[in-house]
Amino acid sequence: MRRQTLDRRRFLAATAITTTALAAPFVRGAHAAGKLTLGLWDHWVPGANAAASAVVNEWAAKERVEVTIDYIPSQGNKNLLTIAAQAQARSGHDVLAMPTWWPHAHANQLEPVNDIMGPLMQQNGKVNGTVEYLGKLGDKWLGVPATIGSQIKGPVSRLDLMKQHAGLDMQAMYPAGAAPKADAWNMDAYAKAAEACHKAGVPFGVGLGETTDSVDTAGAFFLAFGASLVDAKGELTVKTDAVREALTYLARVGKFYPADAPAWDDASNNRWIVSGRGAMIMNPPSSWAVAKRDAPQVAQQLWHHGFPQGPKGRFSPFLPYFWTIWSFSQNKSAAKSVLVHMSSRAAAERFVEASAGYDIPSFDNFLTFKTWQDADPPKGTLYHYPNPHNHQTLSIAASPAPPKIAQQIYAQGTLTKMIVRHMQGEALERTLAWAESEVEGFLRG
């Protein structure tokens, strides 16, 4: 855990980002001087933490608040262990970054942030449905969607290999600076391309393991077929035609992935594309960033674009982070004020730039920053990464089941286990029966 402490006198002269009128109810008289602690995600991109510190410190200097920032890594689930420990002790950071499912898991211990989310959405634009699904319980907003750490895991294609072996020009389908022209990019086209690249010795690097990259990809495909194991009301929907169709398709295309795909973890796909061995993976721009450094001949061929269209739409995995405030926070007014400041356009743009385009704000008005437009090589490779034209529905695997049930389906890798079982020869109905039994256990729990 990295820590940075700001004292008020040290930063009083710092240049501040303009504070909007939105922050007014929470500043000055409410908490002048005082102390505030923040636990933020420890970013993998060098310099990203420094940008977060700068934004927070500028606010602190203006508002005369003494701030301590701890950067908590996700390696080894250190961030999840920290959340659990603080929840149990009812003591910890005033503001704590939580990924995906965790605001719902601790909903009864979180301070509502409706009073700032309403004005933020009026100012910054709406948030997508996955942010609402994960960030709200009934009418209660559990946290503010964080730019830092939020990501889309969309397709990253080798332009040359896709054109040579699959006959697809992904750059023409997803032109930089313009709306997609991708009506032909559908499930049939994806399956044909996967088969062609497999035959050419450059398979799609899509994992079928139990870690998040594999589960996220499977979840997007399931949703594209309208398939879910549990519906929004909490009712079992495993043995439906939509699930059968999705599973049949995914088991078929899974045979075109690397032979060891069921054993892949979240680093496997990155290594696959950087090594030059594959034509596509599903990932944020982290693999591209590594390729720029280690394999520039690969990086100059990588293009980020949307998911293939399914019978029920085009879905892409989105994993948002949230900045939350504990109900036992010692300085809730200051916590809300700093979150308003961190959610401004100026702050979001700095976070995106510092992360080399990896981080994605959840507000509609923040999806066309120059960082994505100007990224190279090749020029414009990140333009479609943040979904600027709302071309696809941002989703999370196992939705629309109630989040506490979906979290278990997600954590257990139920979707990928189903694909592997059927792909390896288990009869479809037997796989469905197994999955139904598993999910019934989650519902009883």
Side-chain angles (χ1 to χ4, degrees), residues 79-309:
N79 57 339
L80 305 185
L81 294 171
T82 300
I83 293 168
Q86 293 188 10
Q88 184 173 12
R90 294 190 57 81
S91 177
H93 296 92
D94 297 294
V95 173
L96 188 59
M98 294 189 183
T100 53
W101 308 104
W102 297 95
H104 262 268
H106 297 284
N108 63 339
Q109 291 181 287
L110 294 178
E111 173 75 7
V113 291
N114 298 54
D115 48 351
I116 58 176
M117 275 302 295
L120 281 173
M121 288 188 289
Q122 288 182 349
Q123 176 175 290
N124 301 337
K126 295 180 180 179
V127 295
N128 62 68
T130 294
V131 169
E132 291 215 13
Y133 169 73
L134 295 170
K136 287 181 76 176
L137 179 59
D139 294 331
K140 176 185 174 181
W141 273 104
L142 305 172
V144 174
T147 297
I148 299 170
S150 296
Q151 58 183 279
I152 289 175
K153 294 184 178 178
V156 186
S157 287
R158 279 281 299 266
L159 292 172
D160 52 351
L161 298 181
M162 289 291 281
K163 191 177 293 185
Q164 179 183 351
H165 301 300
L168 296 175
D169 188 340
M170 305 313 300
Q171 196 170 20
M173 289 186 183
Y174 289 88
K181 303 172 183 178
D183 289 348
W185 181 230
N186 54 32
M187 291 298 168
D188 185 54
Y190 178 88
K192 290 178 179 178
E195 182 176 12
C197 289
H198 173 77
K199 288 180 178 178
V202 285
F204 288 3
V206 177
L208 294 171
E210 298 175 29
T211 56
T212 59
D213 283 5
S214 297
V215 173
D216 292 326
T217 299
F221 277 109
F222 266 77
L223 288 168
F225 284 91
S228 62
L229 305 188
V230 177
D231 66 18
K233 297 179 181 178
E235 299 294 328
L236 271 172
T237 53
V238 174
K239 293 181 178 179
T240 60
D241 289 343
V243 172
R244 290 183 176 93
E245 187 178 6
L247 188 55
T248 299
Y249 174 87
L250 290 167
R252 175 165 64 90
V253 298
K255 294 178 180 179
F256 304 132
Y257 299 156
D260 62 345
W264 275 24
D265 60 22
D266 288 347
S268 302
N269 52 352
N270 289 270
R271 290 193 297 264
W272 186 259
I273 201 74
V274 173
S275 71
R277 298 171 66 190
M280 180 191 291
I281 62 170
M282 309 293 186
N283 214 57
S286 50
S287 55
W288 168 76
V290 172
K292 283 211 304 180
R293 182 192 68 201
D294 297 343
Q297 74 283 2
V298 171
Q300 65 188 7
Q301 294 293 337
L302 296 181
W303 200 253
H304 299 75
H305 58 85
F307 253 70
Q309 173 92 12

